[in-house]
Amino acid sequence: MQTHAPRPLASSDFDAADLLARARRLDRNAMGILHDLHYPEIYRYAAYRLDDPATCEEIAAQVFIHFLEALRKRRTPRANLPAWLLDSAAKLVDQYLQRNAKQNPPASAALPLPQNEAERQRRNFYLALRALPPQQQHFLALRFSGPRSISETAFLMGQSEERLRLLQQRALRELLKQLGKTI
Amino acid sequence: MRLKRRSDPKARALETCLQGIQGGMGVERVLSAYPRWADELRPLLWTASMAGAHNAELEIPQTAQQHSQAAFLQISQRMLPAPERPFLRSILRLLLVVAILAGVLVTAAIGMQRSSAAALPGEALYSVKLAIERLALAWPSSPAYSLALQLAQDEERLLELQILRQRAQEAQISFSGVLESMQGDQWLVGGTPVMITGNSQIIGDMEIGFYIVVQGELQSDGQITAQRLQMREYVVQGRIESISGEALLLEDQIISLSLQTLVQGLPEPGSRGRVILRRAQDGRFIARLVEILP
């Protein structure tokens, strides 16, 4: 039986354009590589914003189903696939949070009391993050879940570095304010 | 706009400080370059360190990743063009070589095979078409590919039925569809009404919400009288990659298990199994029988 030990795949190991072109032709090997290459960063992104591993797994899997749907409709990007995948993950996370906000009482009341200090900090961080506008949550998750440099984050968000430096400043100020409320 | 950008030096200072910290410098050291803004930047750097530490030790769930990849590959392979086509092409190529060697007789056989691809029930070459399909299934392939092939053949039967109805033609037909309702002598199968008579043979238990096979007679008015009905079952075999109480990963195919699933032998990762599946309306393939091969 083949074991499924994590494969140390890195973007630099592959020609991204070639991989995407092969994926468009539904080349099985390329699809497998593409999945293993991007699954971790998508899961990390979702887990940065959501304190629910099962939902994060669901979202990460769903992103790849969306990718197949886009392939079928010939709407996949010609380049910058990671940005497309992470953007898809962001939309799914936003939808989940909106749905959850409508169905459930405020998160602080719904969550069980944390068991220890680390868990308490973690929960406070999620609560503070969730109070931010979606664009700031998205930025912080991209910037710090990698972690990625500001230029890498700008590339993924399709915006200028200058603009993202301002967004970073606003997001950190707002996060600080919210953390102050939760601590 | 340019002036505006230049008027935000604090945003740049913050980024420079963050880069310094990421490069291993201490907070006070990076702030020493900006003494005027140190009090303002310090809490933001603290917040950034919180943001950076959040979930830093996160581990990627390997099982979830494997399941996601299996589903991704399975669906992507189903999106490939009708899988019997490449196989038919390869058969045709093979027959061509034989034809060169064997002469006119085999060349005639190739012609027959080509013609059979579009044959409809009741036509002379239809049995050739079915024989080629059976041959395709006998060829070794992965479970997902084999399943895709069987689904493609189901689609072909539906297409044949559609053409025959458009032509208002009478024929002996066979097709698969979801059993939607069973009301008296009128059943609804995949949106198609099927008439049940005293002569209709119902093999085994029928379950609404699952695919069944209808063999029967198509009349010129489009009505179908069933002669034989049974659950649609697919057969796949391959190596068991993993198994849980709810599902089985047979090479590249996820198969659901239920309380009704019969298991012959001890299924464990690495063993080879033959699985008889039923297809549910929601797209799941549910094992009726898992047989461990020697």
Side-chain angles (χ1 to χ4, degrees):
Chain A
M1 183 203 168
Q2 283 182 337
T3 52
H4 289 277
R7 283 191 279 164
L9 296 182
S11 305
S12 54
D13 296 340
F14 303 96
D15 176 344
D18 175 59
L19 200 57
L20 186 53
R22 285 166 56 203
R24 280 177 198 283
R25 297 194 297 272
L26 300 173
D27 175 302
R28 190 180 166 82
N29 284 340
M31 297 296 252
I33 292 169
L34 191 143
H35 180 278
D36 279 355
L37 198 59
H38 295 296
Y39 184 95
E41 60 184 340
I42 293 167
Y43 182 84
R44 262 192 207 100
Y45 173 89
Y48 195 90
R49 294 184 59 187
L50 300 176
D51 190 14
D52 180 355
T55 304
C56 295
E57 288 171 10
E58 179 108 350
I59 284 174
Q62 198 64 38
V63 165
F64 287 98
I65 304 299
H66 281 194
F67 174 68
L68 289 177
E69 191 65 21
L71 270 185
R72 196 171 64 77
K73 293 177 180 170
R74 298 176 193 278
R75 285 185 189 161
T76 44
R78 298 237 162 245
N80 205 353
L81 180 63
W84 190 94
L85 294 170
L86 286 163
D87 192 52
S88 178
K91 284 175 184 150
L92 289 169
V93 170
D94 288 341
Q95 282 169 12
Y96 173 81
L97 288 173
Q98 279 169 12
R99 222 175 29 240
N100 215 33
K102 281 180 192 167
Q103 289 169 359
N104 295 324
S108 54
L111 290 171
L113 286 173
Q115 298 292 313
N116 55 44
E117 178 58 20
E119 193 52 37
R120 189 183 67 82
Q121 279 189 7
R122 200 162 159 271
R123 192 189 78 164
N124 286 342
F125 188 88
Y126 276 117
L127 292 175
L129 187 68
R130 218 164 288 174
L132 269 53
Q135 193 198 22
Q136 292 183 10
Q137 291 184 45
H138 181 50
F139 166 79
L140 290 171
L142 286 178
R143 173 84 163 92
F144 294 104
S145 72
R148 297 177 180 88
S149 68
I150 201 87
S151 60
E152 287 169 327
T153 313
F155 179 67
L156 288 175
M157 290 181 77
Q159 297 190 19
S160 70
E161 286 183 38
E162 194 63 46
R163 194 183 161 107
L164 281 205
R165 276 195 283 271
L166 292 169
L167 179 60
Q168 174 170 259
Q169 191 183 22
R170 277 204 311 277
L172 288 175
R173 270 186 193 146
E174 188 60 28
L175 183 62
L176 175 65
K177 195 169 120 189
Q178 294 300 333
L179 283 170
K181 285 182 189 172
T182 58
I183 290 171
Chain B
M1 190 64 186
R2 236 175 137 178
L3 284 173
K4 167 74 178 161
R5 283 179 186 170
R6 284 180 180 172
S7 69
D8 285 300
K10 260 187 268 181
R12 287 185 182 192
L14 175 62
E15 174 57 20
T16 307
C17 289
L18 285 172
Q19 284 174 11
I21 290 170
Q22 280 166 0
M25 291 166 73
V27 172
E28 294 309 319
R29 189 165 166 210
V30 294
L31 285 175
S32 64
Y34 304 98
R36 269 196 310 150
W37 299 327
D39 288 344
E40 195 176 339
L41 290 178
R42 191 174 290 107
L44 296 183
L45 294 178
W46 173 81
T47 309
S49 75
M50 292 270 291
H54 178 62
N55 269 351
E57 303 298 321
L58 182 77
E59 287 185 9
I60 306 300
Q62 295 301 315
T63 309
Q65 182 170 348
Q66 285 162 21
H67 285 165
S68 170
Q69 194 203 48
F72 178 61
L73 292 178
Q74 184 186 331
I75 296 169
S76 69
Q77 295 309 296
R78 280 188 201 159
M79 287 165 59
L80 286 167
E84 74 268 40
R85 287 178 182 275
F87 182 74
L88 277 177
R89 274 202 296 272
S90 64
I91 284 290
L92 285 173
R93 273 200 299 274
L94 179 65
L95 284 177
L96 195 61
V97 173
V98 176
I100 292 165
L101 300 172
V104 177
L105 184 64
V106 180
T107 309
I110 294 168
M112 188 197 272
Q113 208 164 25
R114 281 180 175 155
S115 311
S116 73
L120 292 170
E123 293 179 358
L125 289 176
Y126 191 66
S127 57
V128 175
K129 180 179 179 177
L130 295 183
I132 292 170
E133 286 186 359
R134 280 195 294 274
L135 195 63
L137 281 178
W139 202 264
S141 59
S142 77
Y145 187 87
S146 168
L147 209 46
L149 201 59
Q150 294 175 71
L151 293 177
Q153 291 176 359
D154 284 356
E155 288 297 318
E156 183 65 22
R157 297 293 87 80
L158 287 173
L159 185 64
E160 290 164 3
L161 177 61
Q162 195 182 349
I163 295 169
L164 288 168
R165 286 177 122 174
Q166 280 170 358
R167 292 181 185 175
Q169 205 169 319
E170 291 181 358
Q172 287 294 122
I173 49 98
S174 169
F175 73 99
S176 301
V178 177
L179 178 57
E180 294 172 20
S181 66
M182 297 189 287
Q183 290 181 348
D185 60 356
Q186 278 288 340
W187 289 17
L188 196 60
V189 181
T192 302
V194 174
M195 182 178 281
I196 310 296
T197 68
N199 293 328
S200 302
Q201 274 185 289
I202 300 171
I203 318 283
D205 294 333
M206 296 285 123
E207 202 170 342
I208 288 179
F210 278 80
Y211 280 73
I212 66 167
V213 187
V214 179
Q215 285 174 281
E217 194 178 346
L218 173 67
Q219 288 153 17
S220 56
D221 60 1
Q223 192 162 333
I224 295 168
T225 307
Q227 291 165 338
R228 187 184 166 99
L229 303 110
Q230 64 190 103
M231 297 293 284
R232 175 64 168 117
E233 293 191 329
Y234 304 85
V235 182
V236 289
Q237 66 179 51
R239 192 182 56 251
I240 296 174
E241 297 291 351
S242 64
I243 184 165
S244 69
E246 294 172 345
L248 170 76
L249 180 62
L250 193 72
E251 290 185 18
D252 51 1
Q253 177 66 44
I254 295 176
I255 297 163
S256 299
L257 302 175
S258 75
L259 292 174
Q260 283 74 41
T261 302
L262 297 172
V263 180
Q264 290 178 357
L266 181 64
E268 55 187 3
S271 56
R272 287 189 65 77
R274 178 174 169 273
V275 185
I276 299 178
L277 314 163
R278 289 178 173 179
R279 186 183 178 196
Q281 189 169 13
D282 61 10
R284 280 180 308 140
F285 289 99
I286 300 167
R288 178 177 70 75
L289 172 70
V290 178
E291 181 188 0
I292 302 306
L293 300 172

